[in-house]
Amino acid sequence: MPLCTIHLLSLLDPLPTFLQTLSSTPLKPLTISRVIRWIILPTSLSTVPLLAQNIHWDILLILPSPSNTSLPASLQKQIKHQWSIEAGVPSRLLKDYEARNRRLLCPEKGDVPSLTGRKNKILKESSQDLELSPELLSWIEEFSSGGGGDGEGGTKEGNGAVSMLNLLAFNDGMKEEYLKYGRAFAESAGRRRGGLAKIVGSVVKGDRDVDGTGVDNGKGKRKEKGEGWDEIALAHYPSLWHFADMLASEDYQDVNRRHRVGSLRDTCILFTSEVGIEELMGGKVKL
C-alpha cells in the first residue's frame, strides 16, 4: 500500500512566498490546501502539538512519500510549526487522483447536486459531534458571503469546493460500526450532498523519538508514531453549504448518531480550501 505523509504547517513567511518556493522544488503534492478553521477539536490525542500555543495552521500538504523524507531546506526555513503523520493509502484511490480531484475542484454542469434542506436546519449547541451549531452556521454565512471568517476569504473560496481533513481513533472493537457509517455516507447521506472521501488511509504506527526520526536518540525520549490515531481521511464537499446541508439533515444525523459518534475514541476535523490556494495565487502557480 503506497505511503503518504500528511503535513500541517504554520508559516513564518507569507503564504504566497511559501507557495512560490514549493513550486520550485521537486515535490509533487497530492493536496496543497489553505487551512481555514477547526470544525471539531481533538479532545485527547495530539492536543498539545495541534492546539498548544494557539497555533494557527496555514497549510495542509499531502505528499506521496514516506515520512523519513524531510521537506527541503528551502521550505523548512519558512516553517514555524510542523505536525506530520504517515498513512498507507490504497492504490485505487491514488490512481488518476490529479484528474479526479481537478474535476471535483472545477466541476462541470450537472456535477454538483442541489441543496436538500437549508430551510429546515437542525441546530445543536455544539458541532463537536458533527452537528450544525448556531456558531458554525453563523460563521459559514459570513465566510460564504465573502467575509472569509478572518477577512481574507474571497468569492471562490467562500463558495467553492472544500476539503475536510479528518483524524480518526476508534474505540476498541468499534471500527466495523464506523465502516457502517462510511458506507452510508458514500451511498446516501454524504453522496446526496456531493460529499465523498477522496483520500482514506491507515495510520502507520510504531515507536519514534521526540524529533520524529524513529531512531532512539539514547535519551529514552520516545513516543508513539501515529500518536494513537487509526485513520486519516480527506473528505470533499462541493461547498460549505453542502456540508452544512448534510449536518442539518435528519437522514445524516440518524447515521451519525447510530454508527459514527459512539465508534470514535477521539476525532478532529479541519476545514481547508484547495480552491483558496488557487485563488490566492491567481492561477499563476502550478503545483
Side-chain angles (χ1 to χ4, degrees):
M1 186 179 293
L3 295 177
C4 293
T5 306
I6 297 87
H7 299 284
L8 286 176
L9 307 175
S10 177
L11 303 179
L12 290 167
D13 293 343
L15 183 51
T17 302
F18 179 85
L19 295 175
Q20 290 285 5
T21 304
L22 177 61
S23 68
S24 69
T25 71
L27 298 178
K28 301 297 181 184
L30 288 170
T31 296
I32 173 73
S33 197
R34 188 171 91 92
V35 174
I36 309 297
R37 63 160 282 171
W38 290 101
I39 301 297
I40 293 178
L41 295 169
T43 58
S44 61
L45 300 180
S46 304
T47 53
V48 171
L50 289 178
L51 304 177
Q53 305 176 56
N54 197 29
I55 295 173
H56 173 74
W57 298 107
D58 296 295
I59 288 288
L60 167 65
L61 187 65
I62 301 181
L63 297 171
S65 59
S67 59
N68 60 6
T69 301
S70 300
L71 294 176
S74 60
L75 295 178
Q76 289 284 0
K77 67 182 182 181
Q78 298 183 44
I79 296 171
K80 183 178 182 181
H81 299 287
Q82 177 177 343
W83 183 87
S84 304
I85 197 166
E86 188 179 11
V89 178
S91 298
R92 60 179 174 79
L93 295 180
L94 300 180
K95 183 179 181 181
D96 300 324
Y97 179 82
E98 183 177 358
R100 288 186 288 107
N101 193 45
R102 173 54 47 189
R103 178 72 176 263
L104 292 173
L105 299 180
C106 303
E108 297 180 4
K109 184 177 181 181
D111 285 352
V112 177
S114 300
L115 297 171
T116 63
R118 283 174 57 182
K119 295 182 179 180
N120 300 303
K121 304 178 183 72
I122 301 175
L123 298 181
K124 298 293 183 179
E125 182 177 346
S126 168
S127 60
Q128 275 294 108
D129 283 338
L130 206 45
E131 297 172 310
L132 187 61
S133 67
E135 182 277 329
L136 181 57
L137 177 60
S138 176
W139 182 86
I140 289 174
E141 289 173 340
E142 179 187 359
F143 188 84
S144 62
S145 68
D150 57 6
E152 296 180 358
T155 302
K156 291 182 180 178
E157 183 176 68
N159 293 282
V162 302
S163 300
M164 301 285 185
L165 176 66
N166 294 247
L167 300 179
L168 307 165
F170 304 117
N171 283 316
D172 290 343
M174 295 297 287
K175 182 175 180 178
E176 181 57 41
E177 201 64 27
Y178 186 86
L179 292 177
K180 293 178 183 177
Y181 164 80
R183 287 191 290 270
F185 176 88
E187 295 171 3
S188 58
R191 183 179 181 180
R192 191 170 292 129
R193 287 92 186 172
L196 62 87
K198 54 186 183 179
I199 296 178
V200 178
S202 298
V203 173
V204 176
K205 301 184 179 184
D207 288 336
R208 67 178 180 187
D209 63 86
V210 291
D211 66 8
T213 63
V215 179
D216 193 338
N217 58 15
K219 300 178 182 179
K221 296 181 179 180
R222 299 179 68 83
K223 63 179 180 179
E224 182 185 2
K225 187 176 183 179
E227 301 181 22
W229 298 107
D230 295 313
E231 290 189 358
I232 65 95
L234 189 67
H236 161 85
Y237 298 90
S239 73
L240 267 176
W241 281 116
H242 286 81
F243 177 68
D245 188 51
M246 182 186 76
L247 299 193
S249 66
E250 293 182 2
D251 63 317
Y252 173 76
Q253 288 304 332
D254 177 60
V255 171
N256 184 35
R257 289 188 293 266
R258 282 194 293 123
H259 300 305
R260 178 187 167 277
V261 175
S263 67
L264 294 172
R265 177 165 59 97
D266 200 6
T267 188
C268 59
I269 297 179
L270 193 59
F271 161 42
T272 77
S273 173
E274 296 172 67
V275 173
I277 294 294
E278 297 190 355
E279 185 175 24
L280 180 67
M281 299 307 296
K284 296 178 181 178
V285 175
K286 180 176 176 58
L287 298 172

